Amino acid sequence: MEEFRMARAFSVATVVRLCLPFVLLIPVWLIFIALVPDHHRIGPILLAAGATVVLPAVRLAWWRQLAAATVARLSPEGVEMEDRYGSRVHLAWRHIERIDVVESRIPSPRTLTKAGRIGVRTGARQCVGLVGWGDYEIPRHAPTWLSAHRARLPFDPASGLQKISIPLGAVDPLWEYGPMGDRIRRHRPDLFQPAVAPRAHPA
């Protein structure tokens, strides 16, 4: 079994994206401070400065922890991914249907473009990954929203599998052209073949 983790869990683009919402709060702080009498402004100024520094730092630390705990694993049985919530999704090779744009809780600042088929900017909860029927395991202490998300997924009573996706782009936005892509090609080279539209038969 091979494990793949995010190579760049920290970047300038990530810091800018995570801190931008708090920078936009600066005008609000300035208006608030302007309404406070001069002899009482030291407290609000210190509060505003502290919040502007602490809140982005907390959010960045949370994001780095989330990114560091995300791992993709490839084995002779299939592909799986685990995250910091303790949830695990697994697709057996034979049950993978396609490569497609899927949702992800791990954003990335990089841009992906697949000629003629996919052009998305990862970071808006989207990346390129695998789609198929597999197992979705969540821990007992999982957040309510995670349990609700799993409950909404299509379920096949015959096989007991759910329709799931594995966002490999959360680990490496260009995984199709790297080591992960090479490993997957060994087992399912058909996934990388371009889809051909059915030809119309002459009347």
Side-chain angles (χ1 to χ4, degrees):
M1 178 178 292
E2 295 182 88
E3 291 191 353
F4 297 88
R5 298 177 183 271
M6 294 184 69
R8 294 184 61 189
F10 180 87
S11 68
V12 174
T14 299
V15 174
V16 171
R17 177 178 49 77
L18 293 176
C19 295
L20 185 58
F22 300 103
V23 173
L24 298 178
L25 285 176
I26 293 177
V28 177
W29 286 119
L30 293 176
I31 294 173
F32 171 72
I33 292 171
L35 298 176
V36 177
D38 292 344
H39 57 284
H40 289 142
R41 283 186 180 175
I42 293 297
I45 290 175
L46 294 177
L47 176 63
T52 304
V53 173
V54 172
L55 292 178
V58 170
R59 191 180 185 196
L60 181 60
W62 172 86
W63 184 87
R64 293 189 68 179
Q65 182 182 12
L66 183 66
T70 301
V71 56
R73 299 185 179 95
L74 277 65
S75 70
E77 288 74 37
V79 183
E80 70 177 48
M81 177 174 281
E82 187 174 350
D83 60 27
R84 74 177 294 270
Y85 300 106
S87 65
R88 186 185 73 91
V89 289
H90 178 269
L91 285 172
W93 292 115
R94 65 183 182 280
H95 293 146
I96 299 176
E97 294 183 343
R98 66 186 187 277
I99 296 172
D100 208 337
V101 176
V102 301
E103 287 192 351
S104 171
R105 292 186 295 273
I106 308 294
S108 169
R110 297 180 63 179
T111 300
L112 279 180
T113 301
K114 180 136 181 134
R117 187 165 64 90
I118 295 173
V120 299
R121 179 165 181 80
T122 60
R125 294 176 59 86
Q126 288 186 322
C127 65
V128 175
L130 303 175
V131 179
W133 294 88
D135 301 307
Y136 194 155
E137 302 175 3
I138 60 175
R140 294 181 179 178
H141 60 277
T144 303
W145 65 265
L146 187 57
S147 301
H149 169 70
R150 186 181 68 168
R152 289 193 299 267
L153 297 175
F155 178 78
D156 180 15
S159 64
L161 302 177
Q162 287 187 282
K163 191 62 173 291
I164 61 175
S165 60
I166 298 183
L168 296 179
V171 175
D172 179 4
L174 300 177
W175 66 267
E176 294 171 278
Y177 312 102
M180 274 195 291
D182 294 339
R183 307 300 189 279
I184 293 174
R185 281 185 181 87
R186 295 178 186 174
H187 295 274
R188 291 291 307 274
D190 57 294
L191 295 173
F192 295 86
Q193 296 175 359
V196 179
R199 301 174 62 180
H201 295 283

